[in-house]
Amino acid sequence: MSDPILRFENVNKWFGNFHALRDINLSVQRGERLVICGPSGSGKSTLIRCINRLEEHQEGQLTVAGVTLNDNLRDIDQVRRQVGMVFQQFNLFPHLTVLENLTLSPIFVGKLSVDDANKKAMQQLERVRIADQAHKYPLQLSGGQQQRVAIARALCLSPQIMLFDEPTSALDPEMIQEVLEVMTELAQQGITMLCVTHEMGFARAVADRVVFMDQGQIVEEAAPAEFFENPRHSRTQAFLAKIIGH
Amino acid sequence: MTTPHLTHRSISAKPAPVAKTPFLTRCQTHLWPTKGQAAITALLVAGLLWWLPTVLSWGLWHAVWHADADSCQALRGVGACWGVVSEKYRLILLGRYPFDAQWRPVVATLALVSVVVVSCLPFFWRRSLVLLWVAVWLLFFGLMGGGTWWGIPTGLRWVPSDQWGGLPLTLMLATLAITLAFPLGVVLALGRQSTLPALRSVCVGYIELVRGVPLISVLFMASFMFPLLLPSGTSPDVLLRVLVGITLFSAAYTAEIVRGGLQAVSLGQVEAAATLGLSYWQTQRLVVLPQALTHVVPGLMNNFIAIFKDTSLVTIVSLYELSGALGLAISGDPNWRPFKIEGYLFITLIYFVFCFAMSRYSLWVERQLAHR
């Protein structure tokens, strides 16, 4: 097997006295699709937010796309250029149009010309099937449309890794599907994905591996079939009973 | 199988209804919908009817319009003496500026007001506007001061800055103080939010210190104390010192207004910008500030209006801006001294025109931003 694109080695993180991540060890191969699930407060979001340094880990070693994350600002910038992120609350820039949201980073960070950035942005908008809304402002769109724009914005950086932090949790039920479809297509195109979600159908259909976290620890990780049919740990069983049982 | 009765058929839109209420009905709903409100309306109308004739009689019908101190004196207390304005307007508007060269401050002021108006129109928001501003300031100071600047002769007689006065001085101080205090205030506000403890303490300390001191004492320090701290003969022009004083003072207030706006921008915006690889300054300039400043347009304009009027305080350090020039024009002249009220009403009108224009502009900006 080739070198993993992402490797956690004994990573620990505290928020004050709260031990948010405990001895995390995790390797992700290039092109692998991970779904991370677990009860709220279990450290799922913190885990993926460490990858692009929205949170700092305090112990252990975290290597992303060949770069070991430390305090060096240049390394952080380099990592962030390789990693796209989609948030629960979309976090689109409300004062910019959809197209401007997408071209902001390519123009100011990637130093593309406005024409090239627009062209690239339109391609990504077509990929998420929302090109006709390019000149609207984010708040004029539905939640599902906004989240698809957010995915397109992250893709404009041509990242090697995509992080999804509960991308469908803030959406009305009828909009969840359109976002999951876009994510499924993305998964089929071979990009490395880490997705924190409660959408177990998506996990079953798309994930190569499901990681279950509780109280800051990785409790269990397995292929989806194994994970859902035959959970080994009692905490996993309890969680699955709650989330699927209803 | 077809179900024709379920086929969707679009209905063309009707024009929007237009309210056609008769005048009296409208009056009723707005002026006397209930007995209590009818009473309030009646009271206000009565007050207006009682007060208005007095004002009109004093201000218009019995007023003296020509510059004749004797007829003013004869009608004192009965009619206004607008003659004081026609007699003294050049002194009020231009202060002690040499009489034969007064076309210079007039042209300078017109140029400054024009560039301010132009800058308010989004059509002109482009890079060349900065060059226009530089050109206008050079023109302004060249005209006002004359003499030789950096070895370039203007061909005009040198007029030292202590002879500048009136409206040009007011507008110059206000415009420069606002344009300089704004960026400084933004930087202070960002500094106060910084994660670097030393920088944050400096900004907090500065803001709290300046806000704890009245502007008058800042002006006194700039005017009288600051020169004492420098070797004699090296002190910069008093106008410059006072301008720096007002700017530094206003920046602290601007900073607190901007900080209010910064707090209204969610952390998620900063995180999104970070994941897109934007640097700190790019994040602030492209993502945070456009949103933060939109939130605080009314507060900012309120502050700018206050700065505009605060320039009247420079009188106490012997700079005769509009209100100071009025005192200069009237207090020294026993014939006209009794009619200071009319003079004050005149400059009140001038202040009001500028402040009202700023206020309306602010509302327009708010509406433009709300359209998005």
Side-chain angles (χ1 to χ4, degrees):
Chain A
M1 244 188 187
S2 61
D3 273 352
I5 193 167
L6 181 63
R7 191 207 296 270
F8 286 76
E9 284 166 286
N10 298 316
V11 169
N12 276 284
K13 167 152 188 71
W14 289 264
F15 290 110
N17 287 327
F18 179 69
H19 201 165
L21 295 179
R22 295 166 193 259
D23 291 323
I24 300 291
N25 283 291
L26 182 69
S27 288
V28 180
Q29 295 297 323
R30 199 172 286 273
E32 215 182 348
R33 296 162 294 240
L34 250 68
V35 162
I36 302 162
C37 60
S40 66
S42 58
K44 317 175 294 275
S45 290
T46 309
L47 179 82
I48 66 166
R49 284 162 61 88
C50 280
I51 295 169
N52 59 359
R53 198 107 174 145
L54 290 181
E55 306 288 355
E56 276 174 54
H57 62 282
Q58 282 117 7
E59 266 178 23
Q61 201 171 357
L62 176 51
T63 311
V64 183
V67 179
T68 301
L69 275 174
N70 51 30
D71 288 332
N72 192 334
L73 277 175
R74 197 174 297 162
D75 291 351
I76 295 169
D77 284 349
Q78 205 184 331
V79 163
R80 282 180 178 164
R81 235 165 279 163
Q82 314 282 346
V83 180
M85 186 161 196
V86 175
F87 299 86
Q88 183 179 359
Q89 299 295 343
F90 327 139
N91 289 344
L92 294 174
F93 305 133
H95 61 297
L96 301 176
T97 63
V98 165
L99 190 63
E100 288 166 340
N101 263 276
L102 266 69
T103 56
L104 189 71
S105 177
I107 290 173
F108 286 93
V109 182
K111 304 290 175 203
L112 285 189
S113 72
V114 176
D115 282 346
D116 289 348
N118 282 343
K119 212 178 288 169
K120 198 170 172 186
M122 288 312 292
Q123 282 169 6
Q124 297 303 341
L125 284 176
E126 264 155 40
R127 196 165 169 187
V128 300
R129 293 187 292 278
I130 207 162
D132 51 331
Q133 314 281 357
H135 296 287
K136 285 195 180 167
Y137 285 94
L139 296 180
Q140 295 171 316
L141 306 183
S142 73
Q145 289 173 322
Q146 287 188 55
Q147 194 59 299
R148 286 188 279 147
V149 171
I151 294 172
R153 180 174 71 175
L155 289 173
C156 273
L157 294 171
S158 316
Q160 299 192 36
I161 305 174
M162 281 286 282
L163 307 175
F164 293 84
D165 191 358
E166 305 204 24
T168 54
S169 300
L171 295 175
D172 290 338
E174 75 267 28
M175 291 170 183
I176 291 177
Q177 204 47 45
E178 65 186 58
V179 172
L180 289 182
E181 273 167 25
V182 166
M183 288 169 62
T184 307
E185 272 169 38
L186 208 59
Q188 285 156 1
Q189 287 158 10
I191 196 166
T192 312
M193 278 170 75
L194 275 82
C195 185
V196 173
T197 185
H198 296 299
E199 296 296 331
M200 290 303 131
F202 173 78
R204 211 186 273 264
V206 171
D208 295 312
R209 209 167 5 137
V210 181
V211 174
F212 174 71
M213 288 184 73
D214 193 17
Q215 295 174 1
Q217 285 171 311
I218 293 179
V219 176
E220 184 164 347
E221 49 177 296
E226 175 78 7
F227 181 83
F228 290 109
E229 312 306 327
N230 203 4
R232 272 165 298 167
H233 204 285
S234 61
R235 279 193 274 177
T236 319
Q237 290 160 3
F239 174 75
L240 285 176
K242 251 183 255 168
I243 205 161
I244 299 172
H246 60 241
Chain B
M1 199 176 81
T2 51
T3 46
H5 58 285
L6 283 179
T7 319
H8 174 74
R9 200 176 295 140
S10 67
I11 302 169
S12 57
K14 286 183 196 163
V18 181
K20 274 193 206 135
T21 23
F23 176 70
L24 263 178
T25 323
R26 253 184 302 159
C27 282
Q28 194 192 349
T29 50
H30 291 299
L31 297 176
W32 52 87
T34 65
K35 271 188 189 144
Q37 297 196 28
I40 293 171
T41 303
L43 210 64
L44 288 173
V45 169
L48 210 61
L49 285 177
W50 172 77
W51 182 70
L52 208 58
T54 323
V55 171
L56 289 177
S57 153
W58 180 80
L60 291 177
W61 297 320
H62 292 105
V64 180
W65 297 90
H66 52 281
D68 177 356
D70 291 335
S71 29
C72 276
Q73 198 63 39
L75 279 170
R76 200 168 156 199
V78 180
C81 175
W82 300 121
V84 68
V85 175
S86 24
E87 170 76 14
K88 300 283 190 187
Y89 74 96
R90 286 178 75 155
L91 205 49
I92 298 173
L93 289 175
L94 300 172
R96 290 189 299 168
Y97 204 88
F99 199 76
D100 56 331
Q102 284 187 345
W103 65 270
R104 284 157 56 179
V106 171
V107 174
T109 306
L110 289 176
L112 182 56
V113 172
S114 318
V115 75
V116 168
V117 170
V118 162
S119 306
C120 287
L121 305 172
F123 177 76
F124 294 100
W125 291 351
R126 50 191 77 174
R127 242 160 238 182
S128 47
L129 193 60
V130 177
L131 293 177
L132 182 65
W133 269 102
V134 172
V136 163
W137 282 123
L138 288 175
L139 178 73
F140 185 92
F141 286 103
L143 274 172
M144 291 296 286
T148 302
W149 293 77
W150 303 293
I152 305 161
T154 57
L156 299 168
R157 178 155 54 94
W158 169 246
V159 178
S161 63
D162 57 355
Q163 289 182 26
W164 304 5
L167 191 58
L169 188 59
T170 296
L171 291 177
M172 183 269 271
L173 284 174
T175 315
L176 272 177
I178 289 168
T179 42
L180 297 174
F182 179 55
L184 190 56
V186 169
V187 170
L188 279 169
L190 291 175
R192 191 166 185 166
Q193 304 249 304
S194 166
T195 46
L196 307 170
L199 181 62
R200 193 172 56 232
S201 319
V202 168
C203 291
V204 171
Y206 176 85
I207 291 168
E208 297 300 340
L209 181 73
V210 170
R211 283 202 305 174
V213 178
L215 178 56
I216 284 212
S217 50
V218 172
L219 293 177
F220 263 119
M221 280 190 273
S223 178
F224 302 121
M225 270 176 59
F226 186 61
L228 297 179
L229 305 176
L230 291 174
S232 60
T234 57
S235 174
D237 191 282
V238 63
L239 203 57
L240 184 63
R241 280 179 274 140
V242 161
L243 179 66
V244 169
I246 300 178
T247 303
L248 295 181
F249 184 82
S250 314
Y253 285 85
T254 311
E256 284 298 280
I257 295 169
V258 174
R259 186 167 71 97
L262 291 177
Q263 282 175 345
V265 179
S266 72
L267 186 61
Q269 294 286 309
V270 179
E271 288 184 346
T275 61
L276 292 173
L278 296 181
S279 70
Y280 173 81
W281 286 109
Q282 285 173 331
T283 304
Q284 300 304 328
R285 183 165 63 87
L286 300 167
V287 175
V288 176
L289 284 173
Q291 297 181 59
L293 296 178
T294 304
H295 293 309
V296 293
V297 169
L300 274 178
M301 192 51 91
N302 196 26
N303 187 41
F304 292 162
I305 288 174
I307 296 175
F308 183 79
K309 291 181 298 180
D310 277 353
T311 57
S312 58
L313 288 171
V314 302
T315 307
I316 60 130
V317 293
S318 307
L319 287 171
Y320 297 101
E321 46 59 67
L322 194 52
S323 69
L326 175 75
L328 201 67
I330 294 177
S331 302
D333 188 338
N335 285 333
W336 295 102
R337 202 181 305 155
F339 309 106
K340 212 169 177 172
I341 293 252
E342 286 84 341
Y344 270 112
L345 286 173
F346 175 60
I347 65 163
T348 300
L349 181 69
I350 296 175
Y351 277 114
F352 179 78
V353 166
F354 282 98
C355 295
F356 189 67
M358 288 160 87
S359 158
R360 291 281 114 181
Y361 180 65
S362 155
L363 287 176
W364 180 81
V365 169
E366 277 172 57
R367 271 202 307 276
Q368 294 298 306
L369 293 171
H371 275 310
R372 297 197 309 211

